[in-house]
Amino acid sequence: MCRVVDLQQAVLAKNDATAHTLRAELSARGTTVVNLLSSPGSGKTALLEGELLLARQRGVSVAALTADLATENDAVRLARSGVPVKQVLTDGLCHLEAGMLGRHLEGWLPDDIRLLFVENVGNLVCPASYDLGESLRVVLASVTEGEDKPLKYPTAFGLAHLVVVTKTDIAEAVEFDEAAFLANVAQVNPGVEVLLTSARRGVGVGALLDRVTAVADGGPVHAPVMARQEHLHDHEHGTHTHTAASGAMAQSGS
């Protein structure tokens, strides 16, 4: 008798196990990982560059790993901050996975790094399902993307520990409805903090670093409601309970 195996569930289960191990290893060495997710063109590289520069000025030991399907443009840009930066080319894969991250950190990440920013592939679909072993998951959206973005991508926004709005300097020009956006975020992720930023004007630059540093110091982390929802999956050895996000991620917000 043949049994149908859900390959996607098997892949996610393997990734969750790898992420759990990676999180423990990085935590033991005092490194807090921040996973940045957004659509292409959201402005996360510009904001991250500002945060890295500020971290260096404050004497915070920080590094950045950036992922793209092609080109090293973002790594070259981020390297201007003077902190350790590494580019990962995914060869067409639309997201990073915990195993990939772990392999790229081996032999590269300095031992004294306190904060590691991971700029995921520009995509709000695939990356949302993969825990990278992060302590903080940040989802960014620019004012040009529309107020209903959280409703269109409920998994990405629903699993976020923090939401960042970018390019607020042009909010009026594109008629961005801030109240509507905040209401939509609250609908999919009640209680999550939202930061308003403009890398071009310097508005809010440093707020993300402040929040991440607080988490690194043992401060509280918002627990996404979706991360606590349990789903039943059928696996080869029977039915078991599995969280929408990894169990370790859910624990980090408790």
Side-chain angles (χ1 to χ4, degrees):
M1 177 180 177
C2 295
R3 303 189 65 178
V4 178
V5 178
D6 190 325
L7 294 180
Q8 182 180 14
Q9 291 175 6
V11 168
L12 290 176
K14 180 180 179 181
N15 181 84
D16 285 352
T18 302
H20 179 79
T21 300
L22 183 60
R23 180 182 290 104
E25 293 174 350
L26 291 170
S27 178
R29 60 187 282 176
T31 301
T32 296
V33 179
V34 184
N35 185 8
L36 303 176
L37 283 73
S38 79
S39 301
S42 68
K44 69 176 178 294
T45 304
L47 179 62
L48 180 54
E49 183 180 9
E51 302 291 346
L52 295 178
L53 283 167
L54 187 57
R56 187 183 180 194
Q57 293 170 9
R58 293 181 180 179
V60 179
S61 181
V62 63
L65 181 146
T66 181
D68 274 306
L69 277 68
T71 83
E72 297 188 356
N73 294 349
D74 287 351
V76 171
R77 182 174 182 180
L78 294 177
R80 297 184 304 197
S81 65
V83 308
V85 174
K86 185 173 186 178
Q87 178 75 56
V88 173
L89 298 180
T90 64
D91 295 324
L93 192 64
C94 63
H95 61 275
L96 282 174
E97 297 178 3
M100 295 170 59
L101 177 61
R103 289 192 296 273
H104 283 284
L105 295 182
E106 289 180 5
W108 169 74
L109 188 67
D111 292 335
D112 65 342
I113 293 299
R114 185 183 181 197
L115 302 176
L116 172 63
F117 286 93
V118 178
E119 185 180 17
N120 218 315
V121 180
N123 187 335
L124 283 177
V125 182
C126 302
S129 298
Y130 287 84
D131 179 8
L132 299 183
E134 68 261 28
S135 299
L136 198 67
R137 175 174 292 202
V138 181
V139 176
L140 302 89
S142 73
V143 298
T144 62
E145 296 178 58
E147 298 81 3
D148 60 349
K149 200 77 172 185
L151 303 182
K152 289 183 175 180
Y153 300 91
T155 300
F157 284 88
L159 291 174
H161 298 108
L162 181 68
V163 173
V164 176
V165 179
T166 61
K167 304 184 182 182
T168 58
D169 54 298
I170 60 172
E172 184 176 355
V174 298
E175 299 182 348
F176 177 69
D177 189 334
E178 180 182 320
F181 179 84
L182 295 177
N184 290 334
V185 170
Q187 183 174 329
V188 299
N189 195 345
V192 69
E193 183 180 2
V194 180
L195 302 179
L196 303 178
T197 69
S198 167
R200 176 178 294 180
R201 299 285 185 246
V203 176
V205 175
L208 176 58
L209 181 61
D210 290 341
R211 188 70 185 89
V212 171
T213 303
V215 172
D217 288 338
V221 179
H222 168 71
V225 173
M226 185 174 292
R228 296 194 298 266
Q229 294 177 345
E230 294 183 331
H231 300 273
L232 294 178
H233 294 315
D234 292 324
H235 279 273
E236 184 176 0
H237 299 295
T239 300
H240 73 281
T241 302
H242 182 71
T243 54
S246 76
M249 180 182 293
Q251 291 168 10
S252 70
S254 60

